[in-house]
């Protein structure tokens, strides 16, 4: 137990020492954000208190909030008794009260000319067929489809369109790394789709944890590819510290404190680091598809800025996070297109050099 506390203490100190200057700069650029101002709004608090007593928000009532399945009144808190189908969907009475009170409060604020505020750390969104954030779900599903298409075409290119060695292994030295990247990306966007459908603790943790794993692995991949690291021992030496950091970060969030703000900062720093590495490599290499890589870097920076700026939701459907998911759809297609170009360029270069070497040996 003392060892775990010691590791957590070191982790917190490391975050503080290395990243505080970076985020101070970001805060100067974008200003401080105020989260959950709607929670303290009097109209919202009064509505929520009344709903907890009566199970109604205005003329809209939730029978399952005040009565059991046999119609008998409940003698204990209504939010502890939910029908099985409501528990399965996770749309309980408390969630319904918060949702409709949020809509009422938002209408009241708009009538007085006040701006949109967050409720429970989230912008107000309108449900569609029980889906909490329909636009984000649609864009996440499209990202999932784009990653699947890119990974599948990458696989077909490697093993069916390009020559392979005698052991049926591709000549591309980073094939295994990008296969793993594809699987991690599919896993991340799958849980992102589930999370935006319904935000509960379980889906939230899977979404955030799979996301931090993908970002951390992407940084490792950028280092290994841009610095042309091919030896297994060297790859382990590069990957081990970053894998350890990501593991400690996830354990910290899961077992100590689920700090969403800190998690976003960690993801932004690692994403910025990998974009910088790719940008430097694109500027110094003679890769024939470096223009595509530049497009990925610029679009990736735009996505990162949207995550930082985080403007309010428009018409209850589109906010900065949703817009970032929309941008990543063509970004994903371009990224996998660059990867396939890199496979073809690297393979053709290796085969050409091999033929030249064999001719010299014959002479």
């Amino acid at each position: 137990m003392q060892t775990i506390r010691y590791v957590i203490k070191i982790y917190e100190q490391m975050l503080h020492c290395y990243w505080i200057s970076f985020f101070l700069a970001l805060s100067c650029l974008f200003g401080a954000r105020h989260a959950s101002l709607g929670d303290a709004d009097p109209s919202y608090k009064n509505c929520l208190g009344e709903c907890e007593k009566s199970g109604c928000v205005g003329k809209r009532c939730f029978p399952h909030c005040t009565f059991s399945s046999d119609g008998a009144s409940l003698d204990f808190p209504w939010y502890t008794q939910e029908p099985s189908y409501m528990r399965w969907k996770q749309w309980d009475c408390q969630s319904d009260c918060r949702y409709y009170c949020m809509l009422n409060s938002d209408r009241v604020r708009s009538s007085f000319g006040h701006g949109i505020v967050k409720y429970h750390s989230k912008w107000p969104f309108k449900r569609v067929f029980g889906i909490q954030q329909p636009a984000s779900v649609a864009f996440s599903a499209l990202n999932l489809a784009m990653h699947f298409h890119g990974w599948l075409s990458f696989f077909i290119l490697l093993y069916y369109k390009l020559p392979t060695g005698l052991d049926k292994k591709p000549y591309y030295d980073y094939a295994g790394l990008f296969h793993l990247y594809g699987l991690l990306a599919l896993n991340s966007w799958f849980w992102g789709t589930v999370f935006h459908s319904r935000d509960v603790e379980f889906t939230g943790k899977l979404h955030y944890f799979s996301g931090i794993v993908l970002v951390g692995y992407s940084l490792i991949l950028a280092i290994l590819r841009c610095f042309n690291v091919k030896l297994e021992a060297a790859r382990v030496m590069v990957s081990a510290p970053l894998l350890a950091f990501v593991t400690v970060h996830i354990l910290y969030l899961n077992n100590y404190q689920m700090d969403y703000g800190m998690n976003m900062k960690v993801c932004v720093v690692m994403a910025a680091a990998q974009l910088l590495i790719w940008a430097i490599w694109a500027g110094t290499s003679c890769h024939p598809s470096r223009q595509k890589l530049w497009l990925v870097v610029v679009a990736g920076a735009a996505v990162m800025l949207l995550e930082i700026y985080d403007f309010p939701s428009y018409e209850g459907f589109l906010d900065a996070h949703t817009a970032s998911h929309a941008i990543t759809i063509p970004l994903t297609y371009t990224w996998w297109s660059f990867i396939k170009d890199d496979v073809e360029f690297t393979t053709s270069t290796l085969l050409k050099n091999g033929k030249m070497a064999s001719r010299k040996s014959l002479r």
Side-chain angles (χ1 to χ4, degrees):
M1 195 67 181
Q2 291 180 350
T3 305
I4 295 175
R5 291 177 180 174
Y6 179 71
V7 171
I8 290 174
K9 185 177 180 180
I10 293 176
Y11 174 68
E12 290 177 330
Q13 291 176 350
M14 183 173 60
L15 286 176
H16 178 78
C17 294
Y18 286 97
W19 296 341
I20 188 170
S21 58
F22 179 81
F23 293 107
L24 282 176
L26 289 179
S27 64
C28 292
L29 286 173
F30 300 101
R33 292 185 297 168
H34 301 282
S36 304
L37 291 178
D39 299 358
D41 188 281
S43 63
Y44 176 77
K45 292 174 67 176
N46 293 335
C47 175
L48 196 60
E50 182 62 30
C51 184
E52 289 177 354
K53 295 177 182 178
S54 64
C56 297
V57 177
K59 296 182 180 180
R60 184 187 296 272
C61 295
F62 317 111
H64 53 273
C65 290
T66 52
F67 297 94
S68 61
S69 58
D70 58 0
S73 298
L74 300 176
D75 297 327
F76 33 83
W78 51 263
Y79 48 79
T80 62
Q81 291 292 311
E82 312 293 345
S84 58
Y85 77 93
M86 292 296 292
R87 289 198 298 268
W88 177 78
K89 289 178 64 178
Q90 293 286 322
W91 284 118
D92 52 23
C93 297
Q94 189 178 48
S95 298
D96 282 332
C97 283
R98 287 182 176 182
Y99 174 72
Y100 289 105
C101 285
M102 175 193 69
L103 294 182
N104 285 352
S105 178
D106 197 44
R107 283 194 291 266
V108 172
R109 290 182 62 86
S110 298
S111 65
F112 285 100
H114 299 303
I116 302 174
V117 295
K118 286 185 176 183
Y119 298 86
H120 305 285
S121 302
K122 295 178 177 62
W123 297 114
F125 284 93
K126 295 179 181 178
R127 299 179 191 170
V128 176
F129 300 113
I131 298 175
Q132 193 166 354
Q133 300 177 29
S136 292
V137 169
F139 292 147
S140 297
L142 286 173
N143 275 286
L144 177 65
M146 293 303 297
H147 272 289
F148 179 75
H149 174 269
W151 174 74
L152 183 62
S153 58
F154 170 74
F155 180 87
I156 293 173
L157 176 65
L158 272 177
Y159 295 100
Y160 294 97
K161 294 185 177 180
L162 293 177
T164 58
L166 296 177
D167 53 357
K168 300 300 182 181
K169 289 185 179 180
Y171 290 104
Y172 189 59
D173 294 313
Y174 309 96
L177 295 174
F178 279 104
H179 278 312
L180 181 56
Y181 168 81
L183 294 175
L184 291 177
L186 291 174
N187 176 71
S188 178
W189 283 108
F190 171 78
W191 288 115
T193 305
V194 174
F195 169 76
H196 290 304
S197 299
R198 181 64 179 105
D199 176 9
V200 294
E201 183 180 3
F202 175 72
T203 60
K205 285 186 175 182
L206 286 172
H207 170 56
Y208 289 113
F209 295 166
S210 59
I212 189 67
V213 169
L214 177 61
V215 174
Y217 182 77
S218 298
L219 177 57
I220 294 173
L221 187 59
I223 296 172
L224 297 181
R225 177 63 189 94
C226 293
F227 289 94
N228 202 27
V229 181
K230 296 181 179 180
L231 294 176
E232 291 297 329
R235 288 183 175 183
V236 171
M237 291 178 64
V238 171
S239 305
L242 286 171
L243 290 175
F245 171 78
V246 170
T247 301
V248 172
H249 177 66
I250 292 175
L251 291 174
Y252 176 89
L253 294 177
N254 188 56
N255 300 317
Y256 186 70
Q257 182 182 4
M258 191 65 188
D259 191 332
Y260 297 102
M262 185 190 71
N263 182 64
M264 187 201 71
K265 294 173 183 178
V266 171
C267 290
V268 166
V269 168
M270 290 198 295
Q274 67 165 301
L275 288 178
L276 180 62
I277 292 171
W278 283 115
I280 294 173
W281 186 74
T284 57
S285 69
C286 298
H287 200 286
S289 296
R290 57 185 179 276
Q291 292 83 2
K292 292 182 180 179
L293 187 56
W294 275 117
L295 181 60
V296 170
V297 169
V298 173
V303 169
M304 192 169 61
L305 291 177
L306 282 173
E307 293 288 353
I308 296 171
Y309 187 66
D310 191 23
F311 58 79
S313 58
Y314 176 75
E315 297 294 333
F317 293 105
L318 181 68
D319 68 340
H321 186 68
T322 307
S324 69
H325 287 348
I327 294 176
T328 52
I329 296 171
L331 172 64
T332 300
Y333 178 84
T334 307
W335 171 237
W336 278 106
S337 177
F338 165 76
I339 294 171
K340 288 181 288 185
D341 290 347
D342 187 48
V343 173
E344 293 180 341
F345 174 68
T346 305
T347 302
S348 63
T349 302
L350 287 174
L351 291 176
K352 183 179 179 180
N353 293 338
K355 289 179 180 179
M356 291 178 64
S358 62
R359 289 175 183 175
K360 289 182 180 179
S361 63
L362 289 174
R363 290 177 184 176

